[in-house]
Amino acid sequence: MTDTAAPLRLTTGPAMLELLPALGGTILRYDWHGVPVLRPTEGMPTAARVTACYPLVPYSNRIADGRLAFGGKSWPIARTADNHPLPIHGLAWQRPWTVTRQDATHVLMEQRYEVPEALAPEAAVPWPFPFHATQSFELGEDVLRMTLTLRNTGTTEQPAGLGWHPYFPRTPQTRVRAQVSHMWINDDQSLPRERIDTGGAVDDGLPVAQVDLDNVFDGFAGTASVAWPERGMAVDMEAHAPLGHLVIFTPPGKPHLAVEPVSNMTDAFNRYALATAAAHEQAHELADLAPGVRQDRATGTLLLAPGAQAAATLTLRPRRLR
């Protein structure tokens, strides 16, 4: 096993994928027939958030008040980005990954996290639970398949989340389609405040040059697409359980957008803990996903028993527009 500081490049037919394991296990670019499918990274980046895509482990989006509640305990969580006042998107994207296998069209990498010892009382921690994560990238001529796993290496049950933060080019005619049912309206801290029915607006195609979103959607059926009519190209996304939520991010004035398949809603773990304390665990609807792995249907929170492993897969399929 080696820590790879230089980019790794995979090619097959018209497809090219470039990865940077040392910078958060990120994707630098994914091109098809010489055209960027993901937002291409400029130069050699020093921050994962300016790359084409990064993994979201062990949770996605923000943690309210910078504090995690779970199992009757509470921990202050350290900030993860200097441009966000709250912890956001986990910590795997801020730490190097180790490549464990590589060939012409496949890369497997891993990351291990141990909880820091000898912290002062009430000192903020990156995360209070140890884990082992893997990322797999499989490149085909017309497909990129990514698989993300997280295994609980601790001795107690822990909450977890999985997902990706892929950025896409944003053109005047770009449209995003996704099978979702509801959207969460945010408060002034970008935390969910009110859940509304989308009325099929996203299914019909959002003209993303005209909207300003940084919102989580639920009822995600696992399929979405980004289309660029002026480029004559689109990419279809297929996400598998437990990725039942979708974040759409369209920052005003920026030449990119993000469509993020994720397992959990924003601040899922605290919401799960609050509901558990108020109504007892019997009130939750939990789905069994794998041995020792359950998921709260309301928030998307994954519950991992010691030694249990959760997995998620995302497939990108670029295509020509007819």
Side-chain angles (χ1 to χ4, degrees), residues 146-196:
M146 304 185 290
T147 300
L148 188 60
T149 73
L150 185 147
R151 179 167 56 87
N152 179 356
T153 58
T155 58
T156 62
E157 183 179 63
Q158 64 179 245
L162 299 170
W164 287 270
H165 198 303
Y167 284 101
F168 298 92
R170 187 181 186 183
T171 63
Q173 297 181 42
T174 303
R175 298 184 78 88
V176 172
R177 289 180 169 82
Q179 290 183 292
V180 292
S181 62
H182 291 79
M183 181 184 84
W184 284 91
I185 296 176
N186 295 332
D187 63 15
D188 58 4
Q189 290 189 301
S190 296
L191 296 169
R193 174 175 57 84
E194 179 185 359
R195 183 174 180 261
I196 64 171

Side-chain angles (χ1 to χ4, degrees), residues 241-293:
L243 304 178
H245 293 76
L246 189 74
V247 176
I248 300 179
F249 177 43
T250 60
K254 299 293 185 180
H256 55 256
L257 68 138
V259 182
E260 309 160 38
V262 295
S263 59
N264 59 276
M265 69 177 294
T266 304
D267 198 35
F269 306 158
N270 285 327
R271 288 169 178 260
Y272 173 80
L274 182 63
T276 299
H280 306 294
E281 188 169 352
Q282 288 81 355
H284 287 270
E285 186 178 355
L286 301 176
D288 292 315
L289 300 184
V293 181

